Amino acid sequence: MSDDQDKPQKADDARAPGATAGAGAGAGEKARSTDRDKARERGRDQDRNDVPRADDGKADDGEGTGEGAGGDAAEQEREEQERERERAAGRFKEHTRDPLAEEQGEDAPTDLAAAARARRATRMLFDAGRDLHSFDRSYFASAHIGDIHLRMDARRSGAALRGGPVPEEELRRLRRIHVEPEGYVRLREALTARRLLVLGAAPGTGRTSTALSLLDEVTGPATSDTQPRSATGTGAGTGAGTTTRTGAGPGTTTRTGTGPGTTTRTGTGAGTTTTARPGAAARIRRVDPAGGTRRLAECLGDGDEEAGHFSGYLFELSLTRPGTPVPDEMDLDELAAALARRDAFAVVVVPVGSAADPMLDGRYGALCPPAPTGELLVTRLRELLEEQETATGSAGGRAADLLAEAEALWTRPEVRNAVGLDDLRPAEAEVLASLLAGHVLGDLTREQLLSDCRSLAARQAQEWFAGVDRALAAPAGDEPDGERPGAASLFHPVAFRIALAVLGGASHSAVAAAAHLLTWELSVQSDPDRTPARPLFCDDPRSDLALSRAELKDGRVEVAGAEVASRLLWYRGPALPAAVLSELWDRHFAVRAPVVRWLRLLADDPRSQVWMRAAVAAGELCVRDFDHGYAELIRPLADAATPRRRVFAATALDQAAGHGSHRRIVRKVVGDWSRYGTEPLRWTAAMALGYGNSAATTGDTLDALARIAFRDEGEQLAVASFNVVRLLALPDAPAVLRRVAEWTHHKREIHQDLGLVTTVRLALTTVDEVLVDDAGSPLGDRGDWPLPLALAAARPELVRPMADLLWTALNTPRSKEVATDALETLLRSAVRGDGEEWARPGLAALLPALTTEEHDRRRLDWLLRRMMNDPEDPLPDAQARSLWWLAVASRDRTREEARHG
């Protein structure tokens, strides 16, 4: 310690919070550890190197030079030495700045902690353990598993459902397997009362099956070929009529509801149903939506053959096609009257969204909730296994045992994780039931089961993007209505899904803004001759959520270093983000260019929740095609002028290195950059090395960081030291501390500076800034703790080496000032502003190892007194004395309390 610091400590010993205790405790303490002896020797050597003596000048004075001239020369030399010391201290302070400081201002706080938290949250969406190269991309339309016919094309396209009668066979199967959604009875009663029902739901949620089931119940087949259906009906029901279904055996149901007539359906056997009039004419017709509801009303009113003699009509209305007329309330009233005259019923199925809101809010509208996943799956399983039992002629209730086995299989984590969907749509439940049944019957191995389960999310992604812009690619005039859709209206739904895959877990506003930005890029790429236009007041959040299988959750986001409440957006299934990116990159090459431009724009977004999530997603895309991702994303951003873009590139590289298939190439790239790269590339390499995956061993990582730090006279020492500190959050922290001590021991000043800067930065870094993964880390619940205190509390074996390093920094003139300020930061983290305990356990572990001798305790005493006298943030006297006692060994405290007892 220098004399300048020692004098005020001695002069004010009587007023120090623990001066008496410090003197008594240090008087008889002479034992020192070997590590501390070495640290003291290093400190003395560095004091001599940093503060050259003026002895030579004094010797010259005695050899004949004049006393006045010699005194002036010595004074000038001392002044020059002091100026050099100040310059060295200034350079040292510059090295301890945050890597992003040049972008955010010299003294402004950076968003490294927020960025690290965003990265950890995003990595949960892209599990590096699920190497995308092993993601099953083999789609098949149908296959036979034993005697089970597995259909993967259960979701038929709209073109296949345009018009025509619904076969009775389809209705019979629907009676066996349909699972009623919540509020089904209410929907049936509304259809019965008004003859017309507008049913709103997202595509794929079973809305068509529900509509057909409703029409099947309220119309009901006639009891004989010649007996006409009565509009009033008689029977056991009340009101307009009763419909009853009865069945024997597993899987049968009995339903009673009101309807225009009385009909009885009797099922026999295991889940089978027969009608009283086999081969009867079809009762329900799918109506071509091209003409709209008004055309159907006209046909019904005129007795047109186009309408036919049906008692139920299913009308699936698409509101996304340009020029599609949206029925108003008067159109629906006209259709309901025409249906009443024909003793018929109709269900109009519409997607949820702003276009359909007037219809759904009217007297005929109702929302259709999705069927419950559990019941849906069990029903499909029961049907398949009972059909298998019937086909093989086995008996003894084997189907029930297999059903229980299949249900237990579905509850296993590996199967649920492979499916990766929070809820199943009817077609997905049917496919999954086929896979589970195939496994319990011995026709599918476990590996085949898991692989095929993963294809469910991939299949959903394929349907979302298949032929989205086919209308734009068609020659002008090929549209039936002569009007081509706008590019923005076509691309916004897919842009929203891509944005959600990249930014899942961010705020709804961030995802929506990114989706609009991507909509513009896609529109310009697809239709460059037209300026994309999107109305400003036509966003439909409810439709975006429904069409993207997304949900909003309450959460918090960071703004300017503080958390605020926000609505966060997620996919309803952890497999969907990876499936969307895989589909995008593997099957739609032309879309890469606008997506790359979009990701570069996100790299410049100032919000950590945006640019860091985009960086992780970019790394996942690079795994799909590293050659393309490296050339278009990583290399240009790694050589960028702004630090945020370089961190983006480093994060993308590390995400790719998380996959075993790409670890070797990433290590080669980062190693070459650290040796031969330009200044920006070396900076990016240092940030990639800090994650711990870009070199084979911890030693190799530290060697590469040292190369970067020592080059160009320590120009990049700041970013290198920061990434050395990041490695301390990993399991191999002891090896990192040993290497830092070796640098501090080194005879070269640049090595010493790297060790000292790393030590000071360690004291100034919080856990959140460097933590790689919360899961399993002993530091995970100490996010806002200073890193050395969290390490001291969680890993006691690191206390002594950290204390020795910090002691050396406190006793080296060029690092003394910033090290003292860093120690003050550590001391103030003992308790929070409201008095709640904070990092006090860490201080209780570290301070005694840092203050083993009188000299160290006098420095602590002086620092506590300075903190107490701070005009802006004075430390309360009780806290100061509490911190003092933390630093005093227990036996010394007992001795002091005995003296004053």
Short mmCIF file of all heavy atoms in Angstrom, two decimals, residues 679-704:
data_model
loop_
_atom_site.label_atom_id
_atom_site.label_comp_id
_atom_site.label_asym_id
_atom_site.label_seq_id
_atom_site.Cartn_x
_atom_site.Cartn_y
_atom_site.Cartn_z
N GLU A 679 -9.28 -6.88 -36.50
CA GLU A 679 -9.64 -6.48 -35.13
C GLU A 679 -11.09 -6.82 -34.79
O GLU A 679 -11.35 -7.40 -33.72
CB GLU A 679 -9.38 -4.98 -34.95
CG GLU A 679 -9.68 -4.49 -33.56
CD GLU A 679 -9.38 -3.01 -33.40
OE1 GLU A 679 -8.56 -2.49 -34.17
OE2 GLU A 679 -9.99 -2.38 -32.50
N PRO A 680 -12.08 -6.52 -35.66
CA PRO A 680 -13.46 -6.92 -35.32
C PRO A 680 -13.63 -8.43 -35.22
O PRO A 680 -14.38 -8.91 -34.36
CB PRO A 680 -14.28 -6.33 -36.48
CG PRO A 680 -13.46 -5.24 -37.04
CD PRO A 680 -12.04 -5.69 -36.88
N LEU A 681 -12.95 -9.19 -36.08
CA LEU A 681 -13.08 -10.64 -36.02
C LEU A 681 -12.48 -11.20 -34.73
O LEU A 681 -13.03 -12.14 -34.14
CB LEU A 681 -12.42 -11.29 -37.23
CG LEU A 681 -13.11 -11.07 -38.59
CD1 LEU A 681 -12.34 -11.77 -39.69
CD2 LEU A 681 -14.55 -11.55 -38.55
N ARG A 682 -11.36 -10.64 -34.27
CA ARG A 682 -10.78 -11.10 -33.00
C ARG A 682 -11.71 -10.76 -31.85
O ARG A 682 -11.88 -11.54 -30.91
CB ARG A 682 -9.40 -10.46 -32.78
CG ARG A 682 -8.37 -10.86 -33.80
CD ARG A 682 -6.95 -10.55 -33.32
NE ARG A 682 -6.77 -9.18 -32.91
CZ ARG A 682 -6.46 -8.18 -33.73
NH1 ARG A 682 -6.31 -8.41 -35.03
NH2 ARG A 682 -6.30 -6.95 -33.28
N TRP A 683 -12.35 -9.60 -31.91
CA TRP A 683 -13.31 -9.20 -30.89
C TRP A 683 -14.47 -10.20 -30.85
O TRP A 683 -14.88 -10.66 -29.78
CB TRP A 683 -13.82 -7.80 -31.21
CG TRP A 683 -14.50 -7.06 -30.10
CD1 TRP A 683 -13.96 -6.09 -29.30
CD2 TRP A 683 -15.88 -7.19 -29.70
NE1 TRP A 683 -14.91 -5.63 -28.43
CE2 TRP A 683 -16.09 -6.28 -28.64
CE3 TRP A 683 -16.92 -7.99 -30.10
CZ2 TRP A 683 -17.32 -6.16 -28.00
CZ3 TRP A 683 -18.16 -7.88 -29.47
CH2 TRP A 683 -18.34 -6.96 -28.44
N THR A 684 -14.99 -10.55 -32.02
CA THR A 684 -16.09 -11.52 -32.09
C THR A 684 -15.64 -12.88 -31.59
O THR A 684 -16.40 -13.58 -30.89
CB THR A 684 -16.59 -11.62 -33.54
OG1 THR A 684 -16.96 -10.32 -34.02
CG2 THR A 684 -17.78 -12.55 -33.64
N ALA A 685 -14.41 -13.28 -31.94
CA ALA A 685 -13.90 -14.56 -31.47
C ALA A 685 -13.83 -14.59 -29.95
O ALA A 685 -14.14 -15.61 -29.33
CB ALA A 685 -12.51 -14.83 -32.07
N ALA A 686 -13.41 -13.49 -29.34
CA ALA A 686 -13.34 -13.44 -27.87
C ALA A 686 -14.72 -13.64 -27.26
O ALA A 686 -14.87 -14.39 -26.28
CB ALA A 686 -12.74 -12.11 -27.42
N MET A 687 -15.76 -13.01 -27.83
CA MET A 687 -17.11 -13.18 -27.29
C MET A 687 -17.60 -14.60 -27.48
O MET A 687 -18.27 -15.16 -26.61
CB MET A 687 -18.07 -12.20 -27.97
CG MET A 687 -17.83 -10.74 -27.63
SD MET A 687 -17.96 -10.36 -25.86
CE MET A 687 -19.65 -10.84 -25.53
N ALA A 688 -17.26 -15.23 -28.60
CA ALA A 688 -17.66 -16.63 -28.81
C ALA A 688 -16.93 -17.55 -27.84
O ALA A 688 -17.52 -18.50 -27.30
CB ALA A 688 -17.37 -17.04 -30.26
N LEU A 689 -15.66 -17.29 -27.57
CA LEU A 689 -14.90 -18.12 -26.63
C LEU A 689 -15.46 -18.05 -25.22
O LEU A 689 -15.40 -19.02 -24.46
CB LEU A 689 -13.43 -17.69 -26.63
CG LEU A 689 -12.63 -18.04 -27.89
CD1 LEU A 689 -11.35 -17.22 -27.96
CD2 LEU A 689 -12.31 -19.53 -27.92
N GLY A 690 -16.03 -16.92 -24.87
CA GLY A 690 -16.57 -16.76 -23.52
C GLY A 690 -17.72 -17.68 -23.19
O GLY A 690 -18.01 -17.92 -22.01
N TYR A 691 -18.39 -18.22 -24.20
CA TYR A 691 -19.47 -19.17 -23.95
C TYR A 691 -18.95 -20.54 -23.54
O TYR A 691 -19.69 -21.35 -23.00
CB TYR A 691 -20.35 -19.32 -25.19
CG TYR A 691 -21.24 -18.12 -25.46
CD1 TYR A 691 -21.06 -17.36 -26.60
CD2 TYR A 691 -22.25 -17.77 -24.58
CE1 TYR A 691 -21.87 -16.26 -26.87
CE2 TYR A 691 -23.07 -16.68 -24.83
CZ TYR A 691 -22.88 -15.93 -25.98
OH TYR A 691 -23.68 -14.85 -26.22
N GLY A 692 -17.70 -20.84 -23.86
CA GLY A 692 -17.09 -22.09 -23.42
C GLY A 692 -17.21 -23.24 -24.38
O GLY A 692 -16.77 -24.35 -24.04
N ASN A 693 -17.78 -23.03 -25.59
CA ASN A 693 -17.95 -24.14 -26.53
C ASN A 693 -17.06 -24.03 -27.76
O ASN A 693 -17.06 -24.94 -28.59
CB ASN A 693 -19.41 -24.19 -27.02
CG ASN A 693 -20.37 -24.58 -25.92
OD1 ASN A 693 -20.08 -25.46 -25.12
ND2 ASN A 693 -21.52 -23.92 -25.88
N SER A 694 -16.32 -22.94 -27.89
CA SER A 694 -15.62 -22.67 -29.15
C SER A 694 -14.16 -23.10 -29.13
O SER A 694 -13.39 -22.72 -30.01
CB SER A 694 -15.71 -21.17 -29.48
OG SER A 694 -17.05 -20.80 -29.69
N ALA A 695 -13.75 -23.85 -28.15
CA ALA A 695 -12.42 -24.45 -28.10
C ALA A 695 -12.55 -25.81 -27.43
O ALA A 695 -13.51 -26.08 -26.70
CB ALA A 695 -11.43 -23.56 -27.36
N ALA A 696 -11.55 -26.67 -27.66
CA ALA A 696 -11.66 -28.05 -27.19
C ALA A 696 -11.61 -28.16 -25.67
O ALA A 696 -12.31 -28.97 -25.08
CB ALA A 696 -10.56 -28.91 -27.82
N THR A 697 -10.76 -27.36 -25.02
CA THR A 697 -10.60 -27.43 -23.57
C THR A 697 -10.59 -26.03 -22.99
O THR A 697 -10.46 -25.03 -23.73
CB THR A 697 -9.28 -28.13 -23.20
OG1 THR A 697 -8.19 -27.32 -23.66
CG2 THR A 697 -9.19 -29.52 -23.82
N THR A 698 -10.69 -25.95 -21.67
CA THR A 698 -10.61 -24.65 -21.00
C THR A 698 -9.24 -24.02 -21.22
O THR A 698 -9.12 -22.81 -21.42
CB THR A 698 -10.88 -24.81 -19.50
OG1 THR A 698 -12.18 -25.36 -19.32
CG2 THR A 698 -10.80 -23.47 -18.80
N GLY A 699 -8.20 -24.83 -21.22
CA GLY A 699 -6.87 -24.31 -21.47
C GLY A 699 -6.74 -23.71 -22.85
O GLY A 699 -6.14 -22.63 -23.02
N ASP A 700 -7.31 -24.37 -23.86
CA ASP A 700 -7.27 -23.83 -25.21
C ASP A 700 -8.05 -22.52 -25.30
O ASP A 700 -7.66 -21.58 -26.01
CB ASP A 700 -7.85 -24.84 -26.20
CG ASP A 700 -6.98 -26.07 -26.35
OD1 ASP A 700 -5.79 -26.01 -25.99
OD2 ASP A 700 -7.50 -27.11 -26.81
N THR A 701 -9.17 -22.45 -24.60
CA THR A 701 -9.96 -21.22 -24.59
C THR A 701 -9.16 -20.07 -23.99
O THR A 701 -9.13 -18.95 -24.54
CB THR A 701 -11.26 -21.44 -23.79
OG1 THR A 701 -12.01 -22.49 -24.36
CG2 THR A 701 -12.11 -20.18 -23.78
N LEU A 702 -8.49 -20.32 -22.86
CA LEU A 702 -7.70 -19.27 -22.22
C LEU A 702 -6.50 -18.87 -23.07
O LEU A 702 -6.12 -17.69 -23.11
CB LEU A 702 -7.25 -19.75 -20.84
CG LEU A 702 -8.38 -19.93 -19.82
CD1 LEU A 702 -7.89 -20.67 -18.58
CD2 LEU A 702 -8.98 -18.59 -19.43
N ASP A 703 -5.89 -19.83 -23.75
CA ASP A 703 -4.79 -19.49 -24.65
C ASP A 703 -5.26 -18.56 -25.76
O ASP A 703 -4.57 -17.59 -26.11
CB ASP A 703 -4.21 -20.77 -25.27
CG ASP A 703 -3.44 -21.61 -24.26
OD1 ASP A 703 -3.06 -21.06 -23.20
OD2 ASP A 703 -3.26 -22.82 -24.51
N ALA A 704 -6.41 -18.86 -26.34
CA ALA A 704 -6.92 -18.03 -27.42
C ALA A 704 -7.27 -16.63 -26.92
O ALA A 704 -6.99 -15.63 -27.60
CB ALA A 704 -8.15 -18.69 -28.05
#
